[in-house]
């Protein structure tokens, strides 16, 4: 799948361009946002990621464009059969000068026996903005599938004009190494990372925003239930992280941070994506 977003000079409204798509990934249309953006839902018409799937997503947000990407529901990672290579999704994103991408997917849910690898590369130009989170569930908890997957490997890289500002590599193999270790998740089952970037703001600004977000993190943290933390990146942004025993607690916290940083960076409220039209 290859998508482009361009801001119309006449209407100042961002428009979606679908350069290529093939099953199982599909987009249908873009919905206008009040701030001139375009909301697009990523559909997986097979219902989830199957063992052996090799998925590729390319997103190009052009200068001055504002794009919001979300999924239609949680991404289900299905069981892989023996002898089949792990499912893999590779995502390449470029945000041009003064563009903005809000990439806010629903959680990943790895089913029992799932083997999945994900690699995400994001390149930001001068003045570009990024609000992007990833939330991972422990499995189908209601069916008793708690950390019953075989492999979950996630790699993220955010770069500004060719220089990395954030690198993250996660490799979880619950059947080989218990995730209840204090070196991993401890007593928690869900985890999330929320990257907030805008290229060109100085370090003092990000330290100030980190302090504001840290106060919110303290308010949202509940002993033995959910813990939030905030730290600055090497430059141009901050990252918010959380560990939780319940997935529902993460969603509300992410939206609280989203609203706070959108007010600080863009002077407006956040616009959560609608899932049903």
């Amino acid at each position: 799948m290859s998508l482009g977003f361009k801001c119309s000079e006449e209407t100042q409204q961002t428009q979606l361009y679908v350069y290529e798509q093939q099953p199982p990934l599909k987009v249908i249309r873009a919905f206008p946002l009040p701030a001139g953006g375009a909301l697009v839902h990523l559909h997986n018409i097979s219902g989830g990621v199957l063992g052996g799937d090799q998925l590729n997503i390319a997103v190009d947000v052009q200068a001055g464009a504002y794009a919001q990407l979300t999924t239609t529901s949680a991404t289900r990672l299905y069981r892989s059969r023996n002898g089949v290579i792990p499912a893999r999704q590779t995502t390449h994103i470029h945000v041009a000068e003064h563009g903005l991408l809000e990439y806010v997917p629903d959680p990943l849910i790895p089913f029992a026996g799932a083997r999945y690898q994900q690699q995400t590369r994001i390149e930001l130009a001068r003045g570009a903005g990024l609000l992007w989170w990833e939330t991972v569930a422990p499995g189908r908890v209601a069916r008793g599938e708690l950390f019953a997957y075989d492999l979950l490997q996630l790699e993220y890289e955010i770069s500004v004009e060719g220089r990395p500002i954030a690198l993250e590599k996660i490799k979880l193999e619950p059947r080989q190494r218990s995730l209840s270790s204090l070196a991993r998740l401890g007593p928690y089952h869900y985890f999330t990372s929320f990257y907030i970037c805008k290229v060109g703001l100085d370090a003092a600004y990000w330290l100030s925003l980190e302090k504001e977000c840290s106060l919110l993190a303290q308010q949202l943290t509940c002993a033995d239930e959910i813990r939030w933390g905030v730290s600055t990146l090497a430059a141009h942004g901050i990252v918010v992280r959380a560990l939780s025993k319940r997935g529902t607690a993460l969603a509300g916290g992410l939206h609280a941070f989203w609203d706070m940083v959108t007010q600080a960076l863009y002077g407006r409220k956040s616009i959560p994506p609608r899932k049903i039209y």
Side-chain angles (χ1 to χ4, degrees), residues 188 222-227 243-246 249:
Y188 303 101
C222 181
D224 299 324
E225 285 293 329
I226 185 169
R227 293 186 178 275
L243 297 170
S244 179
K245 290 184 178 179
R246 296 181 297 110

Side-chain angles (χ1 to χ4, degrees), residues 40-63:
V40 172
H41 297 80
L42 300 177
H43 297 256
N44 187 320
I45 59 177
S46 65
V49 179
L50 305 174
D53 277 355
Q54 304 293 296
L55 308 176
N56 293 283
I57 300 173
V59 178
D60 180 27
V61 180
Q62 297 186 24

Side-chain angles (χ1 to χ4, degrees), residues 146-223:
L146 185 67
F147 300 129
Y149 54 88
D150 291 344
L151 170 67
L152 183 66
Q153 190 169 350
L154 308 174
E155 296 184 7
Y156 311 123
E157 178 180 326
I158 303 174
S159 297
V160 173
E161 298 178 332
R163 299 182 62 181
I165 61 169
L167 296 170
E168 186 169 345
K169 294 185 179 182
I170 299 170
K171 185 176 182 180
L172 302 177
E173 297 174 292
R175 300 192 184 206
Q176 298 184 31
R177 302 174 185 84
S178 173
L179 300 189
S180 62
S181 164
L182 292 178
R184 298 181 181 90
L185 298 182
Y188 303 101
H189 297 154
Y190 297 79
F191 62 93
T192 190
S193 296
F194 183 13
Y195 286 92
I196 299 139
C197 303
K198 190 173 184 182
V199 178
L201 300 178
D202 60 29
Y205 179 88
W206 292 111
L207 288 172
S208 176
L209 187 58
E210 178 192 22
K211 290 181 180 178
E212 293 182 34
C213 289
S214 293
L215 291 175
L216 178 58
Q218 292 175 17
Q219 296 171 13
L220 294 174
T221 293
C222 181

Side-chain angles (χ1 to χ4, degrees), residues 10-21:
E10 295 181 359
T11 65
Q12 296 301 303
Q13 181 72 40
T14 295
Q15 299 174 341
L16 166 68
Y17 294 84
V18 180
Y19 301 126
E20 179 185 359
Q21 63 178 340

